[in-house]
Amino acid sequence: GPKVLQIPSHQIIDMGQMVTLNCDPVSNHLYFYWYKQILGQQMEFLVNFYNGKVMEKSKLFKDQFSVERPDGSYFTLKIQPTALEDSAVYFCASSSSGTVYAEQFFGPGTRLTVL
Amino acid sequence: GDSVTQMQGQVTLSEDDFLFINCTYSTTWYPTLFWYVQYPGEGPQLLLKVTTANNKGISRGFEATYDKGTTSFHLQKASVQESDSAVYYCVLGDNTNTGKLTFGDGTVLTVKP
């Protein structure tokens, strides 16, 4: 089936540094999402993105977070600067439409550790 | 806001056992509900969805229905296999069409041969 790729699979950085998480969505999909899962906790919605814009974001999507997809390349999540509480697994997803009925395809996640 | 609660954190069965896992949901909208499954090293993938109360979603031998009266949503399978071992998430979709999904905590299913 369709695959979403995430690069890197693991990232370890020092607090205060910048990090960029990369997502290669399903090729014809137009809607993109990031979710965050802290170890042992629920997966939580961060943001969705369509047509170059953030459509909806949760309270977890702090000012230090930003997303973009320049010229159809990777869909990225940038955190600048990072904080200890940003340590989590970040999952990217994509879908062909933004309706509630559309299946979201998830990548395998990037495990981010902030020291 | 929307919320999902899964009571069973871990379920251990033997092959050919019957599986039943349940969750409850809370939303102000008419719910669209999903079960997503996550295998080790992978992201969650859609198992099935149910858009109408008392209608049955069916996929790969799994069935699910939700009850609006009790706001419960269950997943069942008549005979589990070792390959069904995974984490199962009860998920509520956002009917305002933001695409936002609200996940439950997940149920870790272990099926012993």
Side-chain angles (χ1 to χ4, degrees):
Chain A
K3 293 283 188 189
V4 174
L5 304 177
Q6 289 189 241
I7 303 158
S9 56
H10 293 87
Q11 180 87 51
I12 301 174
I13 59 170
D14 291 324
M15 183 176 61
Q17 285 190 316
M18 181 195 76
V19 68
T20 300
L21 309 184
N22 299 293
C23 171
D24 187 8
V26 177
S27 62
N28 60 343
H29 285 182
L30 300 175
Y31 294 80
F32 312 111
Y33 314 84
W34 284 103
Y35 292 81
K36 175 183 180 182
Q37 187 174 35
I38 294 173
L39 186 64
Q41 297 186 22
Q42 282 181 332
M43 188 173 310
E44 295 190 89
F45 170 84
L46 280 178
V47 67
N48 69 0
F49 187 83
Y50 168 71
N51 198 25
K53 298 174 194 166
V54 170
M55 304 301 289
E56 172 99 0
K57 59 185 180 181
S58 73
K59 62 180 185 294
L60 296 179
F61 194 79
K62 304 179 297 184
D63 291 343
Q64 298 91 320
F65 288 34
S66 63
V67 290
E68 62 176 358
R69 192 186 188 212
D71 299 323
S73 60
Y74 289 147
F75 174 51
T76 63
L77 173 65
K78 184 184 293 185
I79 309 174
Q80 182 179 26
T82 51
L84 294 176
E85 61 264 27
D86 296 331
S87 292
V89 180
Y90 291 83
F91 290 94
C92 168
S94 69
S95 64
S96 56
S97 86
T99 74
V100 67
Y101 308 111
E103 178 177 357
Q104 291 186 21
F105 291 84
F106 285 79
T110 293
R111 181 176 299 278
L112 175 65
T113 302
V114 182
L115 302 176
Chain B
D2 291 350
S3 68
V4 175
T5 303
Q6 288 182 247
M7 282 69 74
Q8 299 141 296
Q10 302 231 10
V11 172
T12 301
L13 298 172
S14 298
E15 279 199 322
D16 298 324
D17 279 354
F18 173 71
L19 170 70
F20 184 93
I21 54 178
N22 198 37
C23 76
T24 57
Y25 64 89
S26 174
T27 179
T28 54
W29 302 92
Y30 198 88
T32 295
L33 291 151
F34 309 85
W35 285 99
Y36 273 76
V37 58
Q38 184 177 24
Y39 300 100
E42 300 181 13
Q45 57 182 266
L46 179 66
L47 179 58
L48 48 78
K49 69 181 173 191
V50 181
T51 61
T52 308
N54 301 318
N55 276 10
K56 193 177 290 186
I58 300 175
S59 174
R60 303 187 235 167
F62 291 88
E63 297 180 2
T65 54
Y66 78 82
D67 184 319
K68 261 188 87 177
T70 58
T71 63
S72 64
F73 183 46
H74 76 265
L75 178 71
Q76 66 182 63
K77 188 177 185 185
S79 175
V80 294
Q81 302 303 304
E82 192 177 359
S83 57
D84 293 325
S85 297
V87 182
Y88 291 81
Y89 291 101
C90 178
V91 180
L92 177 63
D94 179 6
N95 268 326
T96 61
N97 287 332
T98 62
K100 172 186 170 185
L101 298 178
T102 299
F103 281 77
D105 285 330
T107 297
V108 178
L109 172 65
T110 303
V111 180
K112 297 182 177 178

